[in-house]
Amino acid sequence: MPIVKRICNFTEFVTAVNDLEKDTYRQRYVFRGEPRYDGFKKWELTPKIFRKNTGGNGEERVYRESALVDAVVSRYPGIFKDCKSNLEILLLMQHYGLPTRLLDVSFNPYIALFFAFSSKSSESTHYVYIIDTEKIAIENSKDEKEPVETKKIPNTGWLAQKNVFDNTLAVISALSRLTKEEQGELQELKKGYEAMKKSLAAFVESQSIVASSSGITVSDFVKMNIKPDQEALDFLNNYKIMQRAFYAVTESPENYKEIYMGILYEVIENSSILQTLVNKIKYYHPGFDQTIIFEDMNNDYIVRPHFSNDRIKNQNGGFLLLNALDDTHHVNEEYIKEVWEIKFETTDYDTKLEEWKTHLRYMGIDQNFIYPELEKFIHEDYLEVLSEEKRQEESK
């Protein structure tokens, strides 16, 4: 469980920031601020689209993601006409405050603090989460032949950060256009793929050499033994067929991993649900090379957006995109280095909250900075209290 650090005043917060960042590389950590809210769970940072809502009769409700995205894009085509990917659609929806599978973060801890104070908190408690991108990168590489922990790569956390044009992000964000039933089909295909991968790996490891008496290639064997109209799930579990296919390979045993990965991809590439996903991606991204790597769907990524507007620029913002088909839909708590807890006494809550906000304003961080659009301008600052004399004069 992450360390919880109680922060009692603004000076302590500044000290905590300086201590955190003094012995590491730039932009290793991202930050998220949250107040307590109804249904809040300290260790479950969850994108809004996946949060359960309570209806008027007390029933639990969840968003129908693909229906929501389709409805928004259809209703406001002018707003989304320049989007070049499903990810850009999600980013724009997030900009307008709509629920998406993205979780807002900032590379600036003081911006996260502002958001922790953005609404009144139940129990007078606010939180700033410190998320370690290096831990994300290490977790993402754990199944690789050479995990990043062993490579001594400088700035390891940057490996978990991707730009909006990345192919992997194009795949994950396209899941927002699949129905829950289609996502379930894809999840089943992924489970079958992973089971097949383990079976083939176990088979290979049990052989001292790769036999090659027939000279038949994997591609030829698959085409001979699998009918074109079969669904992938029908034969993903037929281990014997795939083991025989591998046994017939003539390549050297040193290349076994590439060989059985090739087998698996040939098997699944014609799956109907995989083709549906590819079509959702290519609608906005015609140049997509159709490579869908299931291993990447186990990973989490920090999205680094292009600073196309003043809001995202001022907020020094990014987004956490969680692994695509994980049923938990919340941030792995192993990524959270610390949670900074700011708690005010209930009797002194408003005074203390305003005191902290004043410190942020001295740093130039207020609503006008965070939301620089005209409609967000704080015009209430220009109200003045009428004197009694003036009030009486105007009432005549």
Side-chain angles (χ1 to χ4, degrees), residues 323-371:
N323 60 67
L325 296 171
D326 181 2
D327 290 332
T328 61
H329 294 310
H330 58 72
V331 176
N332 183 344
E333 69 177 53
E334 295 296 321
Y335 302 158
I336 303 172
K337 178 179 174 62
E338 293 178 357
V339 180
W340 295 343
E341 182 182 88
I342 302 106
K343 184 175 178 63
F344 304 130
E345 295 298 329
T346 306
T347 54
D348 205 22
Y349 179 81
D350 291 332
T351 302
K352 288 295 184 183
L353 183 61
E354 186 57 34
E355 182 183 303
W356 280 67
K357 287 184 175 181
T358 299
H359 284 296
L360 289 175
R361 279 196 292 272
Y362 287 148
M363 301 176 75
I365 299 173
D366 62 9
Q367 183 168 313
N368 284 337
F369 178 75
I370 297 293
Y371 301 108

Side-chain angles (χ1 to χ4, degrees), residues 14-226:
V14 173
T15 301
V17 170
N18 292 339
D19 289 345
L20 177 72
E21 297 188 330
K22 68 182 179 183
D23 293 324
T24 191
Y25 50 88
R26 192 169 60 88
Q27 297 185 332
R28 171 177 175 175
Y29 300 107
V30 293
F31 305 86
R32 178 171 173 81
E34 285 197 357
R36 291 186 71 90
Y37 52 82
D38 290 342
F40 175 89
K41 294 181 181 178
K42 186 185 292 185
W43 308 121
E44 293 187 10
L45 291 175
T46 307
K48 193 182 294 185
I49 195 75
F50 301 124
R51 295 178 194 170
K52 292 178 180 177
N53 293 272
T54 303
N57 298 322
E59 74 278 8
E60 283 191 338
R61 303 177 302 180
V62 292
Y63 286 104
R64 290 180 291 120
E65 184 182 26
S66 63
L68 173 63
V69 177
D70 289 346
V72 169
V73 173
S74 298
R75 177 68 178 82
Y76 302 98
I79 292 176
F80 296 94
K81 63 181 174 60
D82 294 326
C83 290
K84 297 180 177 63
S85 68
N86 290 293
L87 178 57
E88 289 192 359
I89 289 174
L90 296 182
L91 290 169
L92 201 50
M93 288 178 63
Q94 191 84 353
H95 175 83
Y96 284 101
L98 294 166
T100 74
R101 58 175 53 228
L102 298 169
L103 193 70
D104 290 289
V105 294
S106 175
F107 289 90
N108 184 334
Y110 297 100
I111 299 294
L113 181 62
F114 175 90
F115 282 108
F117 294 149
S118 61
S119 61
K120 196 158 185 175
S121 172
S122 60
E123 300 183 24
S124 307
T125 309
H126 304 260
Y127 300 95
V128 173
Y129 294 81
I130 296 88
I131 299 170
D132 189 347
T133 63
E134 191 163 292
K135 290 184 179 180
I136 298 176
I138 290 169
E139 178 69 17
N140 286 353
S141 72
K142 69 180 182 180
D143 294 328
E144 293 180 6
K145 192 173 183 180
E146 190 178 358
V148 297
E149 278 184 297
T150 65
K151 294 181 182 179
K152 297 182 179 179
I153 297 174
N155 305 345
T156 302
W158 292 2
L159 297 175
Q161 303 174 30
K162 293 181 176 291
N163 65 55
V164 294
F165 304 110
D166 183 83
N167 264 8
T168 300
L169 299 189
V171 173
I172 296 175
S173 58
L175 292 172
S176 64
R177 311 308 292 269
L178 298 182
T179 65
K180 287 192 180 298
E181 292 72 24
E182 288 171 332
Q183 289 184 28
E185 285 182 52
L186 189 62
Q187 194 167 29
E188 287 303 308
L189 180 63
K190 181 172 177 285
K191 286 178 182 177
Y193 167 86
E194 289 170 345
M196 187 68 251
K197 182 179 173 183
K198 286 181 181 178
S199 177
L200 280 175
F203 172 76
V204 170
E205 288 167 8
S206 71
Q207 308 299 310
S208 58
I209 60 170
V210 177
S212 56
S213 57
S214 67
I216 300 174
T217 67
V218 173
S219 180
D220 290 339
F221 189 91
V222 169
K223 289 173 183 175
M224 285 190 298
N225 287 276
I226 297 172

